[in-house]
Amino acid sequence: QITYLRQHIQTFSADPLPSRRPSGRHKKQLRTRVLERDSHRCTNCGATNDLEMHHIIPLSQGGTNHLDNLTTLCTTCHTALH
């Protein structure tokens, strides 16, 4: 999994990967960190409303909840990707 991420995400960090899905307080903290990192803007179109977290590599395909695998998308862009 780590090798796959390093091959597909150029800014992959050496931080330990989360071992499970975030929930409760941890999920809110993770969302806040992703939003702050992405300047509260959709990384695809720049929108600032209706923002969601998106897994670059889906969990079902071996992706993780690590910051390097999450990005901010607006609802419109997120829906278009799925």
Side-chain angles (χ1 to χ4, degrees):
Q1 201 175 40
I2 292 173
T3 302
Y4 182 83
L5 287 172
R6 284 190 175 127
Q7 290 172 349
H8 291 87
I9 301 175
Q10 293 178 355
T11 60
F12 185 80
S13 72
D15 295 340
L17 298 173
S19 59
R20 60 184 172 84
R21 285 190 149 200
S23 61
R25 187 181 66 164
H26 180 69
K27 185 174 184 176
K28 288 179 184 178
Q29 290 173 343
L30 185 60
R31 176 179 163 79
T32 298
R33 288 179 69 187
V34 172
L35 287 169
E36 287 175 355
R37 181 199 64 202
D38 295 339
S39 302
H40 293 268
R41 292 189 173 278
C42 173
T43 56
N44 188 49
C45 73
T48 58
N49 295 323
D50 302 319
L51 300 176
E52 304 175 354
M53 280 194 305
H54 170 70
H55 290 87
I56 298 165
I57 301 171
L59 296 174
S60 64
Q61 295 178 11
T64 69
N65 288 303
H66 194 271
L67 287 173
D68 291 341
N69 191 44
L70 295 168
T71 191
T72 303
L73 293 178
C74 66
T75 302
T76 303
C77 290
H78 201 195
T79 301
L81 283 175
H82 292 281

